């Protein structure tokens, strides 16, 4: 019972994650539409990077929270997901400029 109470006590975090996922989902849809109209790999990498950062990072944090309950691992895994998203964005820019 106390685990359910702990999870419900984090409601502001879940609201934030849903808002970020909604905004990120909108940006990902825009990038995918741009990719479909132009079929360029930079647009695909842009969409993937945005998806990983906006949806993957909170998902990774939440998964690690439920799996371990250790905030260190939550932060480490979500930071890795953010780094992967930024890497995709950088690759998109580099591919576009070369």
């Amino acid at each position: 019972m106390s685990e359910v109470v702990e999870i419900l006590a984090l409601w502001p975090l879940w609201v934030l994650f849903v808002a970020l996922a909604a905004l990120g989902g909108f940006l990902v849809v825009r990038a995918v539409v741009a990719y479909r109209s132009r079929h360029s790999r930079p647009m695909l990498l842009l969409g993937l990077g945005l998806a990983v950062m906006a949806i993957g990072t909170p998902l990774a944090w939440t998964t690690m929270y439920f799996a371990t309950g250790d905030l260190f691992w939550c932060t480490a895994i979500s930071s890795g997901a953010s780094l992967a998203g930024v890497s995709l964005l950088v690759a998109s820019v580099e591919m576009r400029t070369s």
Side-chain angles (χ1 to χ4, degrees):
M1 180 69 175
S2 67
E3 289 183 20
V4 173
V5 173
E6 288 177 17
I7 292 169
L8 293 176
L10 294 173
W11 70 268
L13 182 65
W14 309 129
V15 170
L16 176 66
F17 282 175
V18 168
L20 289 174
L23 178 61
F26 173 74
L27 294 173
V28 169
V29 167
R30 295 282 298 167
V32 169
V33 168
Y35 167 73
R36 291 176 121 184
S37 68
R38 294 183 186 88
H39 292 289
S40 68
R41 285 188 191 216
M43 290 294 180
L44 180 62
L45 290 174
L46 177 69
L48 287 173
L50 289 171
V52 168
M53 288 175 61
I55 299 167
T57 300
L59 184 63
W61 191 96
T62 305
T63 303
M64 285 308 294
Y65 182 77
F66 288 127
T68 66
D70 187 0
L71 292 180
F72 171 77
W73 286 110
C74 295
T75 304
I77 296 299
S78 65
S79 295
S82 293
L83 184 60
V86 168
S87 298
L88 289 168
L89 292 176
V90 169
S92 170
V93 170
E94 287 180 356
M95 192 178 285
R96 183 78 173 171
T97 57
S98 61

